[in-house]
Amino acid sequence: MATAEELKRRVRELENELIKCKQRRSSEEQVHARAKIEKMSAEVVDSNPYSRLMALKRMGIVDNYEKIRSFAVAVVGVGGVGSVTAEMLTRCGIGKLLLFDYDKVELANMNRLFFQPHQAGLSKVEAAENTLRLILVTTDLFLSSLCSHLPFICDFSNGGLEEGKPVDLVLSCVDNFEARMAINTACNELGQVWMESGVSENAVSGHIQLIIPGETACFACAPPLVVAASIDEKTLKKDGVCAASLPTTMGVVAGILVQNVLKYLLGFGSVSYYLGYNAMQDFFPTMAMKANPQCDDQHCRRQQEEYKSKVTEHPKQEAVEEEVVVVVHEENEWGIEVVSEVTEAELQAASGPEPDLPEGITVAYTIPEKEETSGQTVEETDQSLEDLMAQMRKM
Amino acid sequence: MATAEELKRRVRELENELIKCKQRRSSEEQVHARAKIEKMSAEVVDSNPYSRLMALKRMGIVDNYEKIRSFAVAVVGVGGVGSVTAEMLTRCGIGKLLLFDYDKVELANMNRLFFQPHQAGLSKVEAAENTLRLILVTTDLFLSSLCSHLPFICDFSNGGLEEGKPVDLVLSCVDNFEARMAINTACNELGQVWMESGVSENAVSGHIQLIIPGETACFACAPPLVVAASIDEKTLKKDGVCAASLPTTMGVVAGILVQNVLKYLLGFGSVSYYLGYNAMQDFFPTMAMKANPQCDDQHCRRQQEEYKSKVTEHPKQEAVEEEVVVVVHEENEWGIEVVSEVTEAELQAASGPEPDLPEGITVAYTIPEKEETSGQTVEETDQSLEDLMAQMRKM
C-alpha cells in the first residue's frame, strides 16, 4: 500500500512526464513551420539556404538575383504541374505566391510529385500550403490560399506584393479547356502577361507558352494543342476512363515553365514563347505566334490595337517587338509555324502511337490537318537557293 | 490537503492521459508509413494510386505497365537530381530502389526539390528513405539504404530483385568526376548498363547519357562535358566558392532521366543515348557516341571485344546494333558529333555568358576547341550535294 507521500511523488512524476510528452508533440508539430528570412545572403556556408541561388550572380548568369523577392506570381491549378511549380518558385525565393484550386487531394494523384498519401481528402490548396510552409526557409513567401472558382479578375489585379497592384505573372497549370479560356479572358481584359502549360492525355507530351496580350497569340487566337471539345470533361472519369499521367512529364513541364518564369522575371537567357516536349522522341519544338486580328475575344482585339498604337507613338518600343521572334505568315490561317525544321513524317513519328481516346479528346502534337504543319512555309522565306548553297559550303 | 483516495484517482487520471499522449505521438509518427500494395489495379476510382499509370496501357503507350514492379534500379548520389529521381521512380512503382550517398542534408540544399529544412543534419539516404516510405502506397518498394563509399561492384551485381541477381539499371546522379569514374569502372567490369546525369556548375545546363558497356562510349571513352580537373573538388566550397544550382534545371534533368529509364525498361518510345538541356536557349541537343577502341579502361576494351564477337556469332543480334544511332566518324578523335544541326555560333550563343569559375572547372556545352564541334563531319557524310539539292527542292 502506497503512502500519501509516495502517491504525491508519483503524481509529480506523472505530471512532469505528461508535460514533456505534450511539449514533444507540440515541438514536433511546430519545428517544421519556418520563419521568413529577411535578407538573401551570398555567404558560402552549409547553413545558408541562399548560397546556391546567389551563386548565379557570381557565375554571370543573373545580374540581381535578390530581385526575385519583389515578384508576385499566381498559380492557377495546383495539380501535377502546378504543385511542383509552386514548390520550385518557393525554393527559388519568389516574393509572393497565390494558389488557386478547388479540387481535393486523392490517392489517384500519388503518381505525381509533391502530394503525399496522408494528405488525401485535404483541399489541394490547403495541402500545398502545409508543405510549402515547411520549406519557407528559402523564401519570403506569402500564400493567398484562395479556394476560388472563376473568374480571377479581382485576384490577378490586386494580388501584387504592393497593396492594390497586379501580380507580375499568372501561370496556368489547369487540366481543362474551360479553365484555360477563363484565365485567357481575364488576362486579356487586364492586359496581364501569363504563361500557359499543359500535358497531353496520354502523358507523353506537354508544352509551355508565354502570352503577352496584344503582342502574342492568346489562347483564343490559335487552336489549343491539347483539347477536349464538345463533351463535359468532368464526366470523363465517371465512365471508367481517366487520363494517363507521369511524374516525369509533369516534372519536366513544371521545370521548363518555372525556368521560363525565372528568365522572364530576372532577365537572363532567351524567354521561350512556346516550348513543347515530346517524351516519345525527346523532341522539343519551339515556335512563336502573332496575335490573330480576327480573334473571337474582343479584349484581345482591343489589346492588339493598344499595342499597335503604343508602338506607333513610342517608336523606341519597337525593340520589344523585335524581341518577339515572329515567324508567322499572314497566309497561314492559324499563324502556326514550327521553328524547328522537322518534316511531317518526323513529327508524326514523334507523336507516338495513336491512343484510344474518348470521343472529342485530341492529343498534343498529332497533326490534325496536313496544311497546318507542312513545310510549305519554307518556300516563302527570304532565303534564296544561293544563300542555302553558301551555307552548305560553310559546313 | 488531498486524501489518499483523491491522490490515487489523480495518479490513474495522469497515467491514462500519459498513455493517450504517447499513443497520439506514436500514431502521428506511424500513420504515414505506407504498406506495400500487392496488385496494380487499373480501376478508375479516386482511391486507386495506380489508375493514372495503368491508363498508359489503355492509351497505347506501354504494353505492360505492371512490369515496372520487376525491376531494380540503383541511384548513386541522392542530391538535387538523385532525390527527385528516386521519388519519381517510387511514384512510378519501381520494384526496388538502392540508394547510395555519404553526404548529409544541409540548409544549403533547400534551393532544390525533395529535402526539407527539418531534415538538415540527417544523412541524405536516411532522409530520403523517411520521405519515400510516406509515398510507398504507389509502389512495391524495397530500400537498400547503403551508406557506401566506392566501389559498388558487389552492390550492383547482387542488388537485383532476385537473390544474387544484378540490378537492372544503375543511375549516376553524382556531382563530381571521381565518383562518375568509379561508377564507370564498376559498370565496365560488370557489363552493367547505366545512365549518367549531370548539371553544370552555373546551373543552366545539364545532360543525361545511356551507357551500354562495349556498345556505346563509356565515361572514359569520351571527355566529359561537365568536369572539374586537376583540383580537389571537395576544397571548392571552403574557398568561399560554390556551384550555383536551381530546382528547375535539376527537376528537368531528373525528369528526362527517369523518362529515359521508363522507356528503356518498359520498351516504349525512343531511348536517348545522349540528351542535353541548355536552359539559356531552351536547346536540347541529342547525340550518340560509339565506344572508343583506344579507351583507357581495359574492361571497356574487353566489353567491346565481347560485343563484337557476340554480333559476329549471332548475326540476328545485329538488329541491336542498328538500333544504336551511331553517327560518329572514325576520323573524329573523340567520336563526338552533335546530331542536331546547329552552327558553332548558335552553340556558343546557347552556352550563355562565360562564368567566372575557379581554376580547372569547365562548364557543359561551352566549346573547348574549335575542331571538336565544327560542322566538318558533315563533309564526310555519304550525302552528296545532289542529295542535299534534292532535299531542298522537296522543302
Side-chain angles (χ1 to χ4, degrees):
Chain A
M1 182 71 193
T3 65
E5 221 29 67
E6 281 167 347
L7 283 168
K8 277 185 204 164
R9 200 169 50 238
R10 181 75 186 127
V11 167
R12 277 195 301 273
E13 273 171 17
L14 284 168
E15 278 172 348
N16 280 335
E17 226 179 306
L18 189 61
I19 287 167
K20 275 187 206 157
C21 180
K22 284 183 176 172
Q23 276 174 346
R24 263 200 305 271
R25 281 190 56 220
S26 161
S27 71
E28 275 164 15
E29 280 161 19
Q30 286 173 10
V31 72
H32 299 170
R34 315 297 299 187
K36 163 182 155 183
I37 289 180
E38 284 306 325
K39 199 184 165 298
M40 278 195 157
S41 157
E43 199 192 354
V44 180
V45 288
D46 287 341
S47 58
N48 177 16
Y50 300 116
S51 56
R52 267 65 165 171
L53 295 169
M54 296 295 275
L56 288 164
K57 293 170 71 173
R58 198 175 39 247
M59 295 277 176
I61 302 297
V62 183
D63 288 337
N64 183 3
Y65 191 84
E66 300 95 315
K67 219 182 155 194
I68 191 82
R69 299 171 69 126
S70 68
F71 297 113
V73 174
V75 178
V76 187
V78 189
V81 173
S83 62
V84 178
T85 293
E87 180 171 352
M88 284 177 173
L89 286 170
T90 301
R91 292 186 184 264
C92 284
I94 196 76
K96 181 175 175 179
L97 265 188
L98 294 91
L99 302 182
F100 300 82
D101 204 305
Y102 57 86
D103 215 358
K104 276 189 183 332
V105 178
E106 307 283 1
L107 283 183
N109 306 141
M110 292 308 130
N111 67 322
R112 283 149 266 181
L113 297 178
F114 195 78
F115 293 117
Q116 298 191 343
H118 64 86
Q119 297 179 312
L122 290 179
S123 85
K124 284 185 178 171
V125 171
E126 190 188 345
E129 178 172 358
N130 290 346
T131 303
L132 295 178
R133 291 241 175 259
L134 304 183
I135 303 165
L136 210 141
V137 66
T138 53
T139 182
D140 179 11
L141 171 81
F142 301 84
L143 272 176
S144 172
S145 308
L146 304 176
C147 276
S148 167
H149 265 82
L150 324 170
F152 310 103
I153 295 275
C154 180
D155 304 311
F156 293 171
S157 58
N158 293 298
L161 261 181
E162 276 180 67
E163 187 81 22
K165 291 279 168 114
V167 297
D168 296 284
L169 201 56
V170 169
L171 304 180
S172 163
C173 302
V174 299
D175 62 357
N176 65 82
F177 182 77
E178 188 194 352
R180 281 187 179 89
M181 281 305 270
I183 297 166
N184 188 63
T185 306
C187 290
N188 275 337
E189 191 168 340
L190 296 168
Q192 171 68 55
V193 177
W194 64 293
M195 289 186 199
E196 156 36 29
S197 71
V199 172
S200 66
E201 300 277 325
N202 66 359
V204 288
S205 59
H207 72 278
I208 64 159
Q209 186 174 350
L210 168 65
I211 299 169
I212 305 173
E215 283 187 55
T216 67
C218 83
F219 197 68
C221 281
L225 293 177
V226 182
V227 64
S230 73
I231 41 164
D232 182 358
E233 296 163 86
K234 282 161 205 146
T235 64
L236 281 178
K237 217 162 55 177
K238 286 168 194 153
D239 292 314
V241 177
C242 68
S245 58
L246 283 167
T248 46
T249 308
M250 289 187 157
V252 170
V253 170
I256 59 176
L257 176 66
V258 179
Q259 200 82 281
N260 219 36
V261 170
L262 295 177
K263 291 194 283 184
Y264 175 80
L265 294 177
L266 299 174
F268 67 97
S270 297
V271 177
S272 280
Y273 285 90
Y274 180 99
L275 175 59
Y277 168 43
N278 184 299
M280 297 297 273
Q281 302 289 331
D282 286 332
F283 167 63
F284 297 80
T286 54
M287 60 171 161
M289 284 183 279
K290 243 189 345 195
N292 175 4
Q294 278 87 48
C295 181
D296 280 345
D297 187 322
Q298 54 156 326
H299 292 295
C300 175
R301 296 195 307 270
R302 174 177 56 81
Q303 296 286 354
Q304 291 182 49
E305 290 307 315
E306 285 177 18
Y307 176 66
K308 256 188 231 162
S309 39
K310 209 169 61 181
V311 172
T312 316
E313 284 166 27
H314 308 284
K316 272 180 191 168
Q317 293 211 336
E318 274 181 86
V320 178
E321 198 179 37
E322 276 171 46
E323 276 174 31
V324 182
V325 190
V326 178
V327 291
V328 169
H329 298 264
E330 301 294 344
E331 300 85 339
N332 186 329
E333 189 194 0
W334 290 111
I336 293 178
E337 184 184 0
V338 177
V339 171
S340 333
E341 278 183 41
V342 280
T343 66
E344 194 174 337
E346 280 169 348
L347 204 59
Q348 192 85 63
S351 59
E354 201 68 55
D356 179 22
L357 292 174
E359 199 189 335
I361 294 277
T362 311
V363 171
Y365 312 128
T366 54
I367 292 87
E369 277 180 64
K370 203 186 153 131
E371 291 70 42
E372 286 185 21
T373 49
S374 77
Q376 290 176 350
T377 45
V378 174
E379 280 177 19
E380 298 156 14
T381 64
D382 294 327
Q383 217 170 18
S384 68
L385 192 61
E386 282 73 23
D387 294 334
L388 290 168
M389 293 288 289
Q391 276 186 10
M392 281 201 299
R393 274 190 295 271
K394 275 188 282 179
M395 290 191 311
Chain B
M1 183 69 193
T3 66
E5 221 30 64
E6 282 169 348
L7 283 168
K8 276 184 203 162
R9 200 169 50 237
R10 181 77 186 126
V11 166
R12 275 196 303 273
E13 274 172 16
L14 284 167
E15 277 171 348
N16 281 336
E17 226 180 308
L18 189 60
I19 287 166
K20 275 187 208 158
C21 180
K22 284 183 175 172
Q23 276 174 346
R24 263 199 307 270
R25 280 191 56 222
S26 162
S27 72
E28 275 165 15
E29 279 162 20
Q30 285 173 9
V31 72
H32 299 171
R34 314 297 299 189
K36 162 181 156 183
I37 289 180
E38 284 306 325
K39 197 185 165 299
M40 276 195 160
S41 157
E43 199 192 353
V44 181
V45 288
D46 287 341
S47 58
N48 177 16
Y50 300 116
S51 57
R52 268 63 166 172
L53 294 168
M54 296 294 274
L56 288 164
K57 292 170 71 173
R58 198 175 40 247
M59 296 278 175
I61 302 296
V62 182
D63 288 338
N64 184 3
Y65 191 84
E66 300 95 314
K67 218 182 157 194
I68 191 84
R69 297 171 70 125
S70 68
F71 297 113
V73 174
V75 178
V76 186
V78 190
V81 172
S83 61
V84 179
T85 293
E87 179 170 354
M88 285 177 172
L89 286 169
T90 301
R91 291 188 184 263
C92 284
I94 195 79
K96 181 175 176 178
L97 265 188
L98 295 90
L99 302 183
F100 300 82
D101 204 306
Y102 58 86
D103 215 357
K104 276 190 186 331
V105 178
E106 307 283 2
L107 283 183
N109 306 139
M110 292 308 130
N111 67 322
R112 283 149 267 181
L113 297 178
F114 194 78
F115 293 118
Q116 297 191 345
H118 64 88
Q119 297 179 311
L122 290 179
S123 85
K124 284 185 179 173
V125 172
E126 190 187 346
E129 179 173 357
N130 291 347
T131 302
L132 296 178
R133 291 243 174 257
L134 304 183
I135 302 166
L136 212 141
V137 68
T138 53
T139 183
D140 178 13
L141 170 83
F142 301 84
L143 273 177
S144 172
S145 308
L146 305 175
C147 275
S148 166
H149 266 83
L150 326 169
F152 309 104
I153 296 275
C154 181
D155 304 309
F156 293 170
S157 58
N158 292 297
L161 260 181
E162 277 180 67
E163 188 82 23
K165 290 279 167 112
V167 297
D168 296 285
L169 202 56
V170 169
L171 304 181
S172 162
C173 303
V174 299
D175 62 356
N176 65 83
F177 182 77
E178 187 194 355
R180 281 187 179 88
M181 281 305 269
I183 297 166
N184 188 63
T185 305
C187 290
N188 274 338
E189 190 166 339
L190 297 167
Q192 171 68 56
V193 177
W194 64 293
M195 289 186 199
E196 154 40 24
S197 71
V199 172
S200 65
E201 299 277 325
N202 67 358
V204 288
S205 59
H207 72 277
I208 63 159
Q209 186 175 351
L210 167 66
I211 298 169
I212 306 173
E215 282 187 54
T216 67
C218 83
F219 197 69
C221 281
L225 293 178
V226 182
V227 64
S230 74
I231 40 163
D232 181 357
E233 298 165 83
K234 283 162 206 146
T235 63
L236 281 178
K237 219 161 54 176
K238 286 167 196 153
D239 292 316
V241 177
C242 67
S245 59
L246 282 167
T248 46
T249 309
M250 290 188 156
V252 170
V253 170
I256 59 176
L257 176 66
V258 179
Q259 200 82 282
N260 219 36
V261 170
L262 295 177
K263 291 194 284 183
Y264 175 81
L265 293 177
L266 299 174
F268 67 97
S270 297
V271 178
S272 280
Y273 286 89
Y274 179 98
L275 174 59
Y277 168 43
N278 185 297
M280 297 297 273
Q281 302 288 330
D282 285 333
F283 167 63
F284 297 81
T286 54
M287 61 171 161
M289 285 183 279
K290 243 189 346 195
N292 175 5
Q294 278 87 49
C295 181
D296 280 345
D297 188 322
Q298 54 156 327
H299 292 293
C300 175
R301 297 196 306 272
R302 174 177 57 80
Q303 297 286 354
Q304 291 182 47
E305 290 306 316
E306 285 177 17
Y307 176 67
K308 255 188 231 163
S309 39
K310 209 170 63 182
V311 172
T312 314
E313 284 165 28
H314 309 282
K316 273 181 192 169
Q317 292 211 336
E318 275 181 86
V320 178
E321 197 178 39
E322 277 172 43
E323 276 174 30
V324 182
V325 190
V326 178
V327 291
V328 169
H329 299 262
E330 303 292 346
E331 300 86 338
N332 185 328
E333 191 193 1
W334 291 110
I336 292 179
E337 184 185 358
V338 177
V339 170
S340 331
E341 278 183 41
V342 281
T343 65
E344 194 175 335
E346 280 168 349
L347 205 59
Q348 192 85 62
S351 60
E354 201 69 57
D356 180 22
L357 293 173
E359 199 189 337
I361 294 277
T362 311
V363 170
Y365 313 128
T366 53
I367 293 85
E369 277 182 64
K370 204 188 154 130
E371 290 71 42
E372 286 185 22
T373 48
S374 77
Q376 289 176 352
T377 45
V378 173
E379 281 177 19
E380 297 155 14
T381 64
D382 295 325
Q383 217 172 18
S384 68
L385 192 59
E386 281 73 25
D387 293 334
L388 289 168
M389 292 288 288
Q391 277 186 11
M392 281 201 298
R393 273 192 295 272
K394 274 188 281 176
M395 291 194 307

